[in-house]
Every structure is written in C-alpha cells, then in structure tokens.
Amino acid sequence: FLWWTGGISLFVLLMMMLYPSFAGQMAGLDALMSGMGMFTKMFGLDKIKMSTLIGFFGIEVGTVLGIGGAMFAAILGLSAVSREENRRTAEFLFSHPLKRSQALAGKLLCMIVFIILMNLGVTLVSWLSFLVVGGEYVMADFLRLMVSQLLLHLQVGLICFGISCFVATESVGVGIGVALMLYILNLMMNVMDDLKVLRFLTPFYYADYINLIGGRLQC
C-alpha cells in the first residue's frame, strides 16, 4: 500500500512540476498531436488539449493514475483469498469460530479501505500540485476525474476479488493482466466506434478523461 501510494503520488508530483516548463510550448504540441491520426483518437488528443492544466493532468497523469491504481487494486483483490489457499493458511483460518462469510467480508472490507486510502492520498498530492503550479482549472473537472478513478479502482478490485474466490494460485501476473486487458479494451473503443457496445465490460471507459471532460460519455 505504501509503495504503490507513494510511487503514484511521486509520479503525479514530478509530472505536474514539469508543466510550467512546457506551458509555453503546449500550443504547438497540440497542433502536432492533432494530426497523428489513430494515435490522436486513441488517447483523445483531438478532444483534450495539453495546453490546459486539466488537460495536461488528464493525459499525462490520469493515464498512469488509472493503470497504476488499477494494478494495485487488482493485485490486492486477487491475493485476498487465493493467498490463503496457496500458502495453506485457509485450514487454520476456517478452524476458528468464524463463519466463512465473515472472513470473506473482512477481507473485502480491508481491500476497499486500502483502495480508498490510496486514492485519498493521491488526490491530496494532486490537489497540492495544482496549488503549487498555480494554473487555472475547474475544480469540478478535477473532482470528477478523481472520483471516477476511485470508482474504477474499486470495480477492478471487486472483479479480481471475485476471481480470487475461485483461483487457488496467488498470481500477481493475473491481476496485472486483468487491469491491462480492461485498459486496452478502452483504447480500442476510442479508435473503433463499433466497439462501443462493449463499454459495459470495462470501467476504464467511464473513468477515461476523454469521456469525462471531452463530453463523449455514453451511458
């Protein structure tokens, strides 16, 4: 928890500190990025401008925040139950006067608390970085992005928690793979509109800064 929260927060802070150095060149970069065809559409550079502070945050920081937080939630959720089977501690745990539903509920609650705390820590660092940089931004857009990230991470964590209940092998790779698969599916939908019917399969679609700020969200 400390490593993931600290790592993501440090990345957010470092990237935001770079914004003033590039602010004067962002207009030219917007023009360059808008003409890169499929790459432009994939990352929403035709809808979000990096020359704005919130646009820079959404593109440079939002992507890593979404993927990094999703990986943390996936690993946490996947190891919640499967580690008891893999490390042969389930027999000891269930031998106590404790219902299985209570044990699982405790693990689920613990996972949710850690995900919320991680998001609160990153949100605080992000807000402080906005204050230090001093650029103009709409607080509602910032809060919308951060709340959507929290919901994204909770959904990924819950999906992997469900997988953990049926898989006895504690595998970090599976958790990372689930998070990346959901993210790649969202990138494909940004490029191919015909795939929008699959938007209910990935929470990355609803947490994507392109859809939240660019106004392309379809419910």
Side-chain angles (χ1 to χ4, degrees):
F1 164 73
L2 293 176
W3 277 107
W4 278 94
T5 304
I8 295 174
S9 298
L10 180 60
F11 178 84
V12 170
L13 187 60
L14 291 177
M15 291 303 300
M16 292 301 289
M17 292 299 100
L18 292 176
Y19 177 77
S21 302
F22 293 101
Q25 308 172 14
M26 288 299 180
L29 186 60
D30 284 339
L32 176 64
M33 292 296 185
S34 62
M36 298 183 66
M38 184 179 295
F39 180 85
T40 299
K41 191 174 182 180
M42 180 180 296
F43 292 97
L45 298 175
D46 56 334
K47 299 295 181 180
I48 305 296
K49 303 302 180 184
M50 292 184 65
S51 55
T52 63
L53 182 58
I54 193 65
F56 179 84
F57 179 83
I59 294 173
E60 295 293 338
V61 179
T63 301
V64 173
L65 174 58
I67 298 176
M71 287 182 178
F72 167 72
I75 294 172
L76 202 63
L78 195 69
S79 63
V81 181
S82 60
R83 71 189 309 168
E84 302 291 350
E85 296 283 348
N86 188 48
R87 302 183 185 184
R88 304 298 182 183
T89 56
E91 294 85 352
F92 173 78
L93 177 65
F94 292 131
S95 66
H96 288 72
L98 182 70
K99 294 181 179 179
R100 295 197 176 204
S101 59
Q102 292 176 319
L104 292 176
K107 287 179 171 290
L108 179 61
L109 180 61
C110 182
M111 180 197 71
I112 293 174
V113 168
F114 272 118
I115 293 175
I116 292 175
L117 289 177
M118 187 273 289
N119 277 269
L120 287 176
V122 174
T123 299
L124 178 59
V125 172
S126 301
W127 177 66
L128 291 176
S129 69
F130 272 76
L131 294 180
V132 173
V133 171
E136 295 183 359
Y137 68 98
V138 179
M139 177 59 75
D141 289 339
F142 171 74
L143 293 177
R144 190 180 299 115
L145 282 170
M146 302 312 295
V147 171
S148 69
Q149 294 300 316
L150 171 61
L151 296 177
L152 161 66
H153 301 155
L154 286 173
Q155 290 179 62
V156 173
L158 291 172
I159 291 172
C160 290
F161 185 88
I163 296 174
S164 179
C165 293
F166 297 94
V167 177
T169 303
E170 181 185 356
S171 175
V172 174
V174 174
I176 293 177
V178 170
L180 290 179
M181 180 183 65
L182 295 175
Y183 174 71
I184 292 174
L185 178 58
N186 180 63
L187 292 182
M188 294 174 62
M189 286 191 294
N190 289 340
V191 177
M192 295 176 282
D193 292 334
D194 293 340
L195 294 180
K196 287 291 174 60
V197 295
L198 303 177
R199 60 186 180 274
F200 299 107
L201 299 180
T202 171
F204 276 93
Y205 175 80
Y206 297 99
D208 198 335
Y209 55 90
I210 305 172
N211 301 318
L212 292 171
I213 298 179
R216 290 169 50 186
L217 186 63
Q218 300 177 11
C219 298

